[in-house]
Amino acid sequence: MQILAHNDYQAPTASTATVLVLANDTNVLDVNLDGITQIDLHFPAFTDGRAFSQAYLLRRRRKFAGDIRATGDVLIDQLVQMQRTGFSSAVLREGVDQADAQRQFERFGGYYQADAVNPLPHFHARQATA
């Protein structure tokens, strides 16, 4: 996952020909993705998790292969879950250290359950090699 410092990213205020900025109440199953290479999903507060569902649906059901970027109230302890639900980049809140954020990915070596990135559960891979 690409981690961007707050000051390193100027979020678009509206969608462009290649970047789509979606509100949290947008049904991503109905959005036109033709020509879109990046989708910004906003977390207005860390307690609002609708963008997690949107990212998952974009990756699994819509098969979107471009950049799904988390913006807004992005906490470092949510980054791993963001990646597992389909986000490929995140813009940190102001004042958050990128090195601290990156260390979150070193804390866990693997997961038993499937996710948007790895659609097969951990035990399935072990059975295939046995």
Side-chain angles (χ1 to χ4, degrees), residues 7-50:
N7 296 335
D8 292 341
Y9 183 67
Q10 181 62 38
T13 56
S15 297
T16 66
T18 60
V19 177
L20 191 59
V21 178
L22 295 180
N24 286 63
D25 59 354
T26 301
N27 182 352
V28 297
L29 299 176
D30 297 333
V31 175
N32 181 3
L33 299 176
D34 292 339
I36 300 298
T37 59
Q38 176 183 319
I39 299 174
D40 281 14
L41 299 177
H42 187 70
F43 287 86
F46 77 92
T47 57
D48 187 337
R50 292 177 287 179

Side-chain angles (χ1 to χ4, degrees), residues 9-129:
Y9 183 67
Q10 181 62 38
T13 56
S15 297
T16 66
T18 60
V19 177
L20 191 59
V21 178
L22 295 180
N24 286 63
D25 59 354
T26 301
N27 182 352
V28 297
L29 299 176
D30 297 333
V31 175
N32 181 3
L33 299 176
D34 292 339
I36 300 298
T37 59
Q38 176 183 319
I39 299 174
D40 281 14
L41 299 177
H42 187 70
F43 287 86
F46 77 92
T47 57
D48 187 337
R50 292 177 287 179
F52 285 111
S53 299
Q54 289 175 311
Y56 188 82
L57 290 171
L58 285 164
R59 288 284 186 231
R60 292 298 297 267
R61 289 201 188 164
R62 297 296 306 274
K63 306 296 185 207
F64 181 73
D67 183 23
I68 300 177
R69 184 162 292 178
T71 65
D73 197 12
V74 174
L75 302 180
I76 63 171
D77 61 344
Q78 294 174 322
L79 290 173
V80 172
Q81 187 64 23
M82 286 177 182
Q83 181 182 41
R84 296 190 70 216
T85 56
F87 286 95
S88 51
S89 63
V91 180
L92 299 174
R93 292 184 344 179
E94 190 171 4
V96 176
D97 182 36
Q98 282 180 283
D100 288 342
Q102 193 61 47
R103 277 193 290 277
Q104 294 300 310
F105 298 99
E106 299 164 7
R107 297 179 71 190
F108 305 99
Y111 308 96
Y112 287 105
Q113 64 276 70
D115 56 40
V117 178
N118 299 303
L120 295 176
H122 178 70
F123 67 84
H124 187 275
R126 291 180 65 204
Q127 286 178 346
T129 60

